[in-house]
């Protein structure tokens, strides 16, 4: 509750109280220090005095100063014992906001809890006590904790530590109970009981239970196994085990440990290492900086998990709108994009969508992926118009192929040859569009060197004959860098042609031949990307 209001308006001549009142509390020139260590009122004349007097009264006003003090003291204490504080920026920010006068204390974890998984210790201490975990690098175990008190004490915090350690032991006793119970279940039936229990847990009222979703993911993981170079049986087994830990007592208590505990329980159940790994990794990536799984089985299940979610919500028309995305579908699509691109996987998404829910608008869902890809590639410096030019090409449901094409075109148009060839293409395309509109015919074939009058015209025919096959072969091989490199060699003969020759010659045969020649150039350029969509 609001206790007092300090409100001053200051200038070089001094400061005056801004007079106002809220709920009977009148603004003054006074504030208060630490409620236990310096509770008396403090008269303030300006901001510098406010900050300095508060510090003398055991209140560190600046949040950044508090944060740095906490982290520096914590790491120093740990380093003195050969230990390491596990970084947690979120927890550090939270603790910084909870204290006025931080006093960093290090405590010990009761030895009977040291065999708990490190993730369990860390999560329990963070969620329940706001403690930082301290790792012994020699043993690889979390053995101590850091707590931040809000006051200095005569016994240097020993009473505070004793109380904290007592409460922590009670919390960890609960965690140990959950862990041991879960292990008994995992070792007893290979997780099948937990999976069966998920038949009573609703994923979404229009999409059925978690068990039904697991069945769909298993089918999709088997289908996607060749894409990820995974064994199909192993991918299906991993998909059926991946969400079993949602029924465990530990994950019920700490939902953020889903997947992590799945790996432990799958290992305890004697499942293959690749299956256990997939139990944890299939949720990834959860954000733009999260690590992407690379193991084949984990990849297949991670893709299946996200693609099932997307096709399902598209089938029931529950799509993100504006800033609203309650089912994190944008994150799921970005996850699929990163899984495919960072592992260089070739996958036609339209055929995958067909394996999912009936009723999902595949074209609309692919458009959603293209929008997400545009954001992803834009962060890598690829312009939106370049991405549009590549999205317009065949095979645009293979996002890895699409991004490879976009990167090659982006690099190409930054070069002198690329920039000039783009301008020449646009000139040729405009001339053709105008001529075709005027004449009512399509100039798409029939250019013949025998009708060439100028030497530069014959040189362009020769250049096209020399490069067309190479460019076509490179496009078929999806080597867009080589294709664009071949196109770059057309730049000079094309420039010379435009400089020396008038397309709309009075002789109708020559004019038609030259228009057909431009059409050949347009076709070669458009075989790589739709350059009509590239600006400039």
């Amino acid at each position: 509750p609001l206790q007092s209001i300090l409100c001053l308006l200051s200038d070089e001549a001094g400061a005056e109280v801004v007079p106002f009142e809220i709920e009977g509390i009148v603004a003054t020139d006074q504030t208060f220090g630490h409620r236990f260590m310096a509770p008396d009122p403090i008269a303030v004349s300006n901001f510098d005095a406010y900050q300095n007097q508060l510090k003398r009264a055991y209140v560190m006003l600046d949040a950044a100063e508090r944060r740095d003090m906490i982290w520096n003291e914590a790491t120093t204490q740990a380093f003195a014992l050969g230990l390491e504080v596990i970084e947690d920026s979120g927890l550090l920010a939270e603790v910084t906001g909870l204290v006025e006068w931080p006093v960093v204390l290090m405590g010990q974890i009761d030895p009977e809890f040291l065999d708990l998984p490190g993730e369990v210790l860390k999560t329990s201490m963070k969620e329940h006590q706001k403690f930082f975990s301290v790792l012994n690098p020699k043993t690889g175990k979390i053995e101590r904790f850091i707590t931040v008190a809000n006051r200095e004490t005569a016994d240097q915090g020993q009473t505070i530590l004793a109380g904290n350690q007592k409460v922590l032991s009670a919390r960890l006793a609960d965690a140990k109970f959950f862990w041991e119970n879960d292990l008994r279940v995992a070792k007893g039936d290979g997780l099948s009981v937990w999976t069966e229990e998920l038949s009573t847990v609703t994923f979404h009222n229009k999409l059925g239970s978690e068990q039904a979703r697991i069945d769909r993911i298993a089918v999709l993981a088997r289908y996607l196994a060749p894409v990820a170079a995974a064994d199909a049986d192993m991918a299906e087994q991993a998909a059926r085990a991946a969400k079993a830990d949602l029924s465990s007592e530990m994950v019920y208590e700490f939902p953020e440990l889903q997947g992590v505990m799945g790996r432990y329980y799958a290992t305890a159940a004697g499942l293959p290492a690749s299956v256990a790994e997939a139990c944890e990794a299939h949720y990834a990536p959860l954000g733009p900086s999260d690590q992407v799984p690379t193991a084949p089985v984990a990849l297949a299940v991670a893709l299946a998990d996200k693609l099932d979610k997307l096709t399902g919500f598209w089938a029931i028309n529950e799509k993100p709108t504006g800033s609203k995305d309650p089912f994190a579908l944008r994150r799921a699509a970005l996850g699929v994009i990163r899984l495919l691109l960072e592992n260089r996987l070739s996958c036609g998404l339209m055929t995958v969508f067909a394996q999912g829910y009936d009723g999902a608008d595949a074209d609309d869902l692919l458009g959603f992926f293209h929008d997400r890809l545009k954001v992803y590639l834009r962060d890598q410096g690829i312009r939106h118009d370049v991405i549009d030019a590549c999205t317009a090409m065949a095979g645009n449901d293979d996002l890895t192929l699409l991004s490879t094409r976009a990167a090659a075109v982006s690099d190409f148009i930054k070069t002198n040859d690329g920039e000039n060839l783009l301008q020449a293409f646009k000139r040729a395309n405009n001339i053709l569009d105008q001529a075709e509109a005027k004449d009512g015919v399509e100039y798409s074939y029939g250019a013949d060197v025998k009708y060439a009058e100028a030497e530069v015209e014959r040189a362009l025919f020769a250049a096209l004959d020399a490069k067309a096959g190479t460019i076509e072969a490179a496009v078929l091989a999806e080597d867009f860098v080589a294709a664009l490199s071949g196109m770059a060699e057309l730049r000079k003969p094309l420039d010379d042609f435009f400089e020396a020759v008038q397309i709309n010659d009075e002789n109708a045969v020559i004019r038609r031949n030259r228009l057909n020649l431009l059409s050949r150039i347009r076709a070669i350029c458009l075989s790589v990307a739709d350059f009509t969509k590239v600006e400039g």
Side-chain angles (χ1 to χ4, degrees):
L2 189 62
Q3 300 291 321
S4 67
I5 302 171
L6 162 70
C7 192
L8 299 182
L9 183 63
S10 60
D11 56 22
E12 293 176 358
E16 59 178 313
V17 174
V18 179
F20 69 93
E21 178 182 326
I22 296 176
E23 298 288 340
I25 302 173
V26 179
T28 68
D29 64 350
Q30 289 190 337
T31 189
F32 294 86
H34 196 287
R35 65 181 295 192
F36 299 119
M37 299 170 70
D40 297 331
I42 301 167
V44 176
S45 57
N46 56 54
F47 183 79
D48 288 339
Y50 171 59
Q51 193 165 20
N52 293 332
Q53 287 172 264
L54 275 180
K55 186 167 282 190
R56 286 196 290 272
Y58 301 98
V59 175
M60 195 178 291
L61 182 64
D62 187 275
E65 184 182 2
R66 291 199 305 278
R67 181 196 63 218
D68 292 345
M69 182 270 171
I70 291 168
W71 185 248
N72 291 338
E73 181 62 23
T75 52
T76 298
Q77 288 190 25
F79 180 76
L81 297 174
L83 307 175
E84 299 171 359
V85 184
I86 297 176
E87 287 192 44
D88 189 326
S89 58
L91 179 59
L92 180 58
E94 185 176 7
V95 171
T96 297
L98 291 174
V99 294
E100 293 179 308
W101 192 253
V103 177
V104 177
L105 304 170
M106 182 183 289
Q108 289 188 307
I109 300 171
D110 192 305
E112 73 168 299
F113 304 119
L114 295 183
D115 287 334
L116 281 171
E119 296 91 344
V120 172
L121 287 170
K122 181 184 174 187
T123 303
S124 181
M125 291 195 293
K126 173 182 177 176
E127 296 301 316
H128 291 146
Q129 308 298 127
K130 311 303 176 191
F131 291 170
F132 294 90
S133 297
V134 180
L135 180 76
N136 183 339
K138 294 179 181 176
T139 63
K141 292 184 177 182
I142 294 171
E143 297 179 355
R144 294 184 178 238
F145 65 87
I146 292 284
T147 185
V148 183
N150 193 33
R151 62 178 297 179
E152 295 174 3
T153 61
D155 64 355
Q156 285 74 50
Q158 291 307 305
T159 302
I160 293 173
L161 267 183
N164 279 330
Q165 288 178 175
K166 184 176 180 181
V167 173
L168 177 61
S169 289
R171 292 292 191 185
L172 294 182
D174 289 342
K176 185 178 181 181
F177 175 78
F178 299 146
W179 168 243
E180 290 174 348
N181 270 3
D182 287 344
L183 277 182
R184 275 194 292 272
V185 175
K187 290 176 180 177
D189 60 25
L191 314 187
S192 60
V193 168
W194 283 342
T195 303
E196 288 168 11
E197 288 175 6
L198 291 173
S199 63
T200 62
V201 178
T202 301
F203 170 64
H204 186 279
N205 60 358
K206 293 181 180 178
L207 297 174
S209 68
E210 286 283 2
Q211 170 68 69
R213 183 163 186 255
I214 288 169
D215 290 339
R216 292 192 302 272
I217 293 172
V219 171
L220 199 51
R222 173 174 279 278
Y223 179 81
L224 288 165
V227 172
D231 177 82
D233 291 338
M234 203 71 78
E236 180 177 350
Q237 184 182 19
R240 294 196 179 281
K243 297 190 183 295
D245 68 336
L246 296 179
S247 296
S248 69
E249 293 185 46
M250 188 69 80
V251 173
Y252 183 83
E253 179 70 14
F254 299 115
E256 59 270 45
L257 288 179
Q258 64 181 19
V260 173
M261 300 316 299
R263 172 170 54 83
Y264 282 108
Y265 299 146
T267 301
L271 298 181
S274 61
V275 171
E277 180 183 7
C279 289
E280 178 176 11
H282 82 280
Y283 288 105
L286 291 173
S289 58
D290 197 15
Q291 193 168 354
V292 170
T294 57
V297 173
L299 261 176
V301 181
L303 284 168
D305 179 43
K306 294 164 184 60
L307 287 165
D308 171 78
K309 185 178 185 182
L310 285 157
T311 56
F313 281 104
W314 245 252
I316 62 172
N317 203 31
E318 288 277 5
K319 307 170 189 175
T321 55
S323 61
K324 294 181 179 178
D325 187 9
F327 304 110
L329 301 180
R330 290 189 181 98
R331 185 173 73 185
L334 179 59
V336 172
I337 288 167
R338 290 191 60 206
L339 286 164
L340 293 173
L341 267 57
E342 294 182 30
N343 286 285
R344 307 303 301 166
L345 302 182
S346 179
C347 177
L349 287 180
M350 293 295 273
T351 60
V352 179
F353 297 161
Q355 307 301 312
Y357 283 87
D358 292 334
D361 185 337
D363 290 331
D364 187 67
L365 181 52
L366 183 60
F368 180 71
F369 269 100
H370 287 162
D371 288 342
R372 294 297 93 208
L373 181 66
K374 191 177 289 189
V375 174
Y376 177 80
L377 294 179
R378 193 166 57 208
D379 290 342
Q380 298 181 14
I382 300 179
R383 292 175 0 200
H384 68 91
D385 56 324
V386 170
I387 301 167
D388 287 339
C390 298
T391 302
M393 304 303 291
N396 64 2
D397 65 335
D398 183 338
L399 302 186
T400 302
L401 176 66
L402 178 51
S403 67
T404 301
R405 191 190 297 261
V409 172
S410 179
D411 290 342
F412 178 66
I413 63 173
K414 291 174 185 175
T415 65
N416 280 335
D417 281 345
E419 186 179 351
N420 288 338
L421 187 67
L422 177 62
Q423 298 313 316
F425 164 80
K426 286 184 175 293
R427 184 176 178 183
N429 191 57
N430 288 337
I431 293 171
L432 274 168
D433 283 348
Q434 291 167 11
E436 288 175 342
K438 177 185 175 183
D439 301 341
V441 297
E442 180 182 318
Y443 292 103
S444 58
Y445 61 92
D448 195 324
V449 70
K450 73 182 179 184
Y451 297 115
E453 288 200 329
E455 184 59 38
V456 292
E457 202 169 353
R458 285 187 284 273
L460 182 55
F461 267 102
L464 289 171
D465 290 340
K467 291 296 170 188
T470 303
I471 294 169
E472 182 181 0
V475 170
L476 288 172
E478 299 174 1
D479 186 350
F480 303 112
V481 173
L484 289 163
S485 177
M487 281 170 50
E489 295 183 38
L490 298 176
R491 174 210 161 173
K492 187 178 185 309
L494 193 52
D495 285 347
D496 293 343
F497 174 75
F498 276 126
E499 191 173 325
V501 169
Q502 177 154 344
I503 305 298
N504 290 313
D505 192 90
E506 292 180 1
N507 184 313
V509 173
I510 293 173
R511 174 178 177 270
R512 184 167 59 249
N513 196 58
R514 287 174 178 170
L515 288 169
N516 280 320
L517 181 59
L518 294 188
S519 177
R520 189 177 174 192
I521 292 162
R522 178 169 67 179
I524 287 174
C525 291
L526 292 178
S527 69
V528 178
D530 186 352
F531 287 100
T532 63
K533 297 183 181 298
V534 179
E535 298 170 3

